[in-house]
Amino acid sequence: MAAKTKEEPRVLAIILGGGKGTRLYPLTKERSKPAVPFGGKYRIVDIPISNCINSGYKKIYLLTQFNSASLHLHINNSYNFDRFSGGFVEILAAEQTLEHSGWYEGTADAVRKNFGHFRVQKPTHYIILSGDQLYKMDLKEFMNEHIESGAEITIAAKAVNRRDATGFGIMQVDDTNRITAFMEKPAADLNIDHWKIPEKSRGDLPADLEYLASMGIYIFNADTMEKLLDNEKTDFGKEIIPMAIKDHQVNSYIFNDYWEDIGTIRSFYEATLDLTNPVPAFNMYEETKPVYTQMSNLPPSKINNATLTSTLASEGCVITDSSIKKSVIGVRSIIREDCDLKGVVMMGADFYETEEEKAANKKKKIPDMGIGKGCKIERAIIDKNAHIGNNCCINVSGKKYDDGDHGLFYSAEGIIVIRKGAVIPDGTVI
C-alpha cells in the first residue's frame, strides 16, 4: 500500500492594519499606517506582504478601517496574481453586517468580525502579522516549526535586554519553548530574573539579550482560533494570548534577525536612513527575497552634475547641481540647483506637474512641486507632493521646537516633518 502523503496546511495570512496611527502623525493624516511610503518607492505594507509571497503564502487579507482609500489604490495597483494560483491580497475594512455594526475594537475583534470571509477558504492555520514592522522572515519555516512542535499557537519572539523589556509583552518559556506565562510591559523596577530565557533555548543569542518579547506575530490552528475568539475579548496581546496560555499549548519561535517596529516618527526616520548604510540592517538587495510593490514604469533618475553620498534615489527623479548626503529620495522627486540635503527622507510625488499646472502655480505665487533652488535641509521628512520654494532653510538653524504641530510643519524629537502637499514659500526658515 502506498504511504499516505502529508497534507499541506491551508494557510491564510492576516495583516493587521492598526488603528489611527497617531504616533506616526502627520504621515497618517490622510493615509493608514500600512500605506505610509517607505524606502523611496515602497509602502510599509509591502514588507509583510512580501514576506508572505516569498514564503509561498498567497492568500492574504489586510484588515483596516482608517483612511483606507490610499491603501486600496496601492493594493489594487500592485498585487494581481494570475487566476490559476488562487492567490489574492484583499482589504477588509470595517463594515456593518446583521451580526455587528461597529468599528473594529481591537486586533482580535477585527479577526472575529471577518470569520465569515475567512471560513470560505477552509484554512487549517492562520498567520497573524502586523502592518507596520520591518523584517524579513521565512514564514514557511515558522509554520513548519509550529506544526512539528504540536502547538496550537506559536508566537514569534525577539530576544531583548532588560531595559527594552519594559516596552513589550514578555514571555516566560520552559526548556521546550512552551510559553508558561505572559506579562505585558513589566515595570523597570520589577525583578523578573526568573523570566530569563532558559539556557537550552538560547542558541547563539547575544549574552545581554535575556528576555523574550512578543513580536505580535502569531500562528493559530484554525479550530483553536475559532474557540478562543468565541467571546467579546478584543485584543490578542492583552487578552487572548494570556487566556490561551492557561489551557492550550502555546509555543515561542525565536527570531534572531533584524526586526523593527516602525510605529513612531523617530523609528520610521531612523529605519529609513539605515537603508543608506553600506550594509543596511534591512537588506532590500536580495534577489531571492525581493520586496514587491507597484510597477511604476517611470524613467531612470536624471542626475545633473550633482553629488550623492550614501543616498538612495528612486525612479523618475531629476536632481540638479546639488549635494545630497545620507538621504532617501522618493519617486518623481525634483531637486533644483544649489541645494544641500543631509539626513532627508523625501517621499517624492504622485505625478509630474504639467506646464499648465506650473503656470497656475506662478499665478497663485506658489512654488512648483519639489525643492526649489538654494535650499538647505537637514534631519527632515518631506511628505509627498510638497512645494518647497527657493532659498528655504529647514532644520539647519539649531532652533529647537516642541513636539507637535507648528502650522507649516510638524516636529517630532528634533525631526521636522513637512506635510503631504504642503506649500513652503520662498525664503522660509524653520
Side-chain angles (χ1 to χ4, degrees), residues 111-262:
V111 171
R112 179 189 301 113
K113 285 176 176 171
N114 284 293
F115 268 138
H117 299 290
F118 302 151
R119 290 181 187 123
V120 174
Q121 302 297 331
K122 299 182 178 177
T124 58
H125 296 83
Y126 292 100
I127 290 184
I128 311 292
L129 306 169
S130 172
D132 58 356
Q133 295 176 349
L134 187 61
Y135 64 102
K136 284 190 178 182
M137 182 188 287
D138 185 343
L139 299 176
K140 190 96 172 189
E141 182 183 295
F142 183 21
M143 177 62 70
N144 288 342
E145 186 164 313
H146 167 79
I147 293 170
E148 287 167 13
S149 72
E152 296 169 86
I153 305 168
T154 301
I155 302 174
K158 189 90 175 94
V160 297
N161 59 34
R162 180 62 186 91
R163 183 186 69 253
D164 292 340
T166 58
F168 294 96
I170 299 299
M171 298 175 291
Q172 188 178 53
V173 299
D174 63 18
D175 286 345
T176 66
N177 285 342
R178 180 166 181 167
I179 301 169
T180 55
F182 184 91
M183 183 191 310
E184 186 71 25
K185 298 181 179 178
D189 58 353
L190 182 68
N191 185 340
I192 57 170
D193 286 350
H194 57 294
W195 287 66
K196 288 181 179 178
I197 305 167
E199 203 57 43
K200 193 175 177 183
S201 300
R202 290 194 57 81
D204 56 356
L205 293 173
D208 65 320
L209 305 182
E210 299 180 299
Y211 301 93
L212 278 186
S214 169
M215 296 166 63
I217 297 172
Y218 317 109
I219 291 177
F220 282 80
N221 291 351
D223 55 349
T224 302
M225 173 91 91
E226 293 261 5
K227 289 174 193 169
L228 286 171
L229 295 190
D230 187 17
N231 49 53
E232 295 184 358
K233 297 187 186 301
T234 60
D235 193 84
F236 280 115
K238 293 175 184 173
E239 298 173 295
I240 299 299
I241 297 301
M243 177 179 72
I245 288 168
K246 297 173 186 174
D247 304 310
H248 299 268
Q249 183 178 341
V250 184
N251 277 27
S252 66
Y253 172 79
I254 300 176
F255 180 66
N256 188 19
D257 208 335
Y258 175 77
W259 173 81
E260 181 63 50
D261 182 347
I262 45 179

Side-chain angles (χ1 to χ4, degrees), residues 37 39 268-269 272-273 327-330 343-347 380-383:
F268 171 83
Y269 175 81
T272 303
L273 287 195
S327 297
V328 175
I329 309 301
V344 173
V345 176
M346 185 173 182
M347 293 181 174
I381 299 172
I382 301 170
D383 205 340

